[in-house]
Amino acid sequence: MSDKIRLIIDTDPGQDDAAAILMAHGLAKRGLIDFLAITTVAGNVPLARTTENARIICDWAGETGFPVYAGADKPLLRPPLTAEAVHGQTGLGDAVLHAPVCPLQPQHAVPFLIDTLRRAGDNSITLCPIGPLTNIAQMLALAPDTVRAVKNIVLMGGSYFEAGNMTPAAEFNFYCDPHAAQIVLQSGAPVTILPLDVTHKAVITTPRMDALRRLPNANGPRLAALLQSYERYDIQKFGLEGGPLHDPCAVACAVFPELFNGGHCRVDVETQSNLTLGACVVDWRNITGQTPNARWITKVDADRLFEELAESIAILP
Ligand code: RIB
Ligand code: CA
């Protein structure tokens, strides 16, 4: 029995999502994971765009038959929220986009996730949500028995020691659908969270982008250009020396957990207050004595992360 993780990415591409998806295809080519499918959700841009972008990114990776399933087109309760100011109107900056060859699967993402986990063995599927958690929350709410098959939910979202990037209190994915985030955290599934607290320590510096630009293939320079166009928002907003590489942190943590560090604690998401909607309350010092429900990641070996990203992109066309 292979000990490779069996990975499904739930995503709202999104330029950093593109990096995460390309990295996952590269990791599969390196024989390090079984990359099973992509499910898409509305987030950075509307669902139609996130879904077409996911298919285009699979074409870029040379995976023109990869299974892509479209999911929720809006949050559970909140009005739709998008981030074209960061990711551009298409969601992939000013990248030249083609009509995707990779087909869209006819089944909705949520029944696909339910059917897949119900057929899977115990603790056998790693879910990697890197957008709003609407699809994952619907899967867990409609079919709580699927928790049995979840090895880990390794997600990008939230913030606590770092200020939010949508409001002073909240990060985009959790602000977009706070109710979904709270459902996932209360589900009993094993959850590992890559918040802004750690992604802001994985910044896209010029030397790291040059390493991508120098790759003798199409995807290295393409990804460097994608990340360069998306990073200026965070540089201006946070005064970082480069844009944070948010979503690939989740994929990398699922595959190389030794590159990351954090603590197990109780995490809850604000769903009532207009002032702090989507904020994470992280009981880092276990003041409440509540049983931890998540691993909260705060540290990363950023050099090794970018080395693994470059090695995974290098194996692509
Ligand atoms: O806050 C960063 C997150 O929001 C990333 O997943 C980015 O792609 C956006 O979805
Ligand atoms: Ca995302």
Side-chain angles (χ1 to χ4, degrees):
M1 179 72 173
S2 157
D3 60 356
K4 288 188 285 190
I5 68 158
R6 303 176 70 219
L7 186 75
I8 295 174
I9 291 180
D10 186 73
T11 178
D12 63 333
Q15 289 148 293
D16 59 322
D17 302 70
I21 294 167
L22 288 173
M23 182 175 192
H25 281 306
L27 288 165
K29 271 176 136 20
R30 291 168 65 189
L32 297 178
I33 66 170
D34 283 335
F35 189 12
L36 302 179
I38 289 171
T39 53
T40 61
V41 65
N44 287 316
V45 286
L47 179 70
R49 277 292 350 139
T50 62
T51 303
E52 181 151 325
N53 289 344
R55 295 163 59 200
I56 288 169
I57 296 161
C58 287
D59 289 349
W60 287 347
E63 299 296 338
T64 54
F66 196 79
V68 176
Y69 296 81
D73 64 356
K74 59 181 179 299
L76 294 180
L77 296 176
R78 295 284 301 159
L81 173 71
T82 53
E84 285 89 349
V86 179
H87 295 269
Q89 283 306 311
T90 69
L92 291 176
D94 44 16
V96 176
L97 305 183
H98 64 280
V101 174
C102 181
L104 172 63
Q105 299 302 315
Q107 190 178 23
H108 187 283
V110 174
F112 161 74
L113 288 166
I114 293 171
D115 294 347
T116 300
L117 270 76
R118 281 181 168 161
R119 283 199 302 270
D122 291 358
N123 313 311
S124 64
I125 303 287
T126 298
L127 299 174
C128 194
I130 52 176
L133 287 161
T134 318
N135 289 336
I136 309 302
Q138 288 183 355
M139 175 197 86
L140 292 166
L142 290 169
D145 58 291
T146 54
V147 169
R148 169 197 60 79
V150 174
K151 177 184 175 68
N152 201 353
I153 298 177
V154 189
L155 68 91
M156 191 278 138
S159 66
Y160 182 63
F161 297 105
E162 185 79 19
N165 61 5
M166 272 315 288
T167 73
E171 175 277 331
F172 177 81
N173 290 336
F174 279 29
Y175 182 73
C176 198
D177 199 338
H179 304 91
Q182 186 63 5
I183 287 170
V184 171
L185 284 164
Q186 288 180 326
S187 68
V191 176
T192 299
I193 300 176
L194 286 292
L196 300 182
D197 307 7
V198 68
T199 66
H200 279 198
K201 297 171 183 171
V203 292
I204 308 161
T205 58
T206 299
R208 288 167 174 166
M209 287 236 265
D210 288 344
L212 291 175
R213 249 188 291 275
R214 282 197 298 269
L215 292 177
N217 62 1
N219 279 297
R222 174 188 285 131
L223 184 55
L226 262 181
L227 293 176
Q228 184 117 45
S229 78
Y230 130 94
E231 69 165 1
R232 65 177 172 277
Y233 174 86
D234 283 292
I235 291 172
Q236 287 158 7
K237 199 173 184 84
F238 291 94
L240 297 170
E241 57 170 324
L245 192 71
H246 299 297
D247 292 339
C249 280
V251 171
C253 188
V255 185
F256 309 107
E258 68 279 6
L259 302 187
F260 296 82
N261 209 336
H264 287 89
C265 46
R266 175 76 200 190
V267 179
D268 288 285
V269 180
E270 177 58 63
T271 58
Q272 308 299 322
S273 154
N274 285 330
L275 178 62
T276 58
L277 188 72
C280 294
V281 178
V282 179
D283 189 0
W284 188 252
R285 302 199 184 290
N286 195 17
I287 291 169
T288 65
Q290 292 187 88
T291 306
N293 60 345
R295 184 161 184 248
W296 187 266
I297 302 296
T298 56
K299 294 188 178 113
V300 59
D301 179 341
D303 287 336
R304 290 273 295 107
L305 166 67
F306 278 90
E307 284 165 14
E308 293 298 351
L309 172 66
E311 196 166 332
S312 302
I313 301 302
I315 202 169
L316 299 177

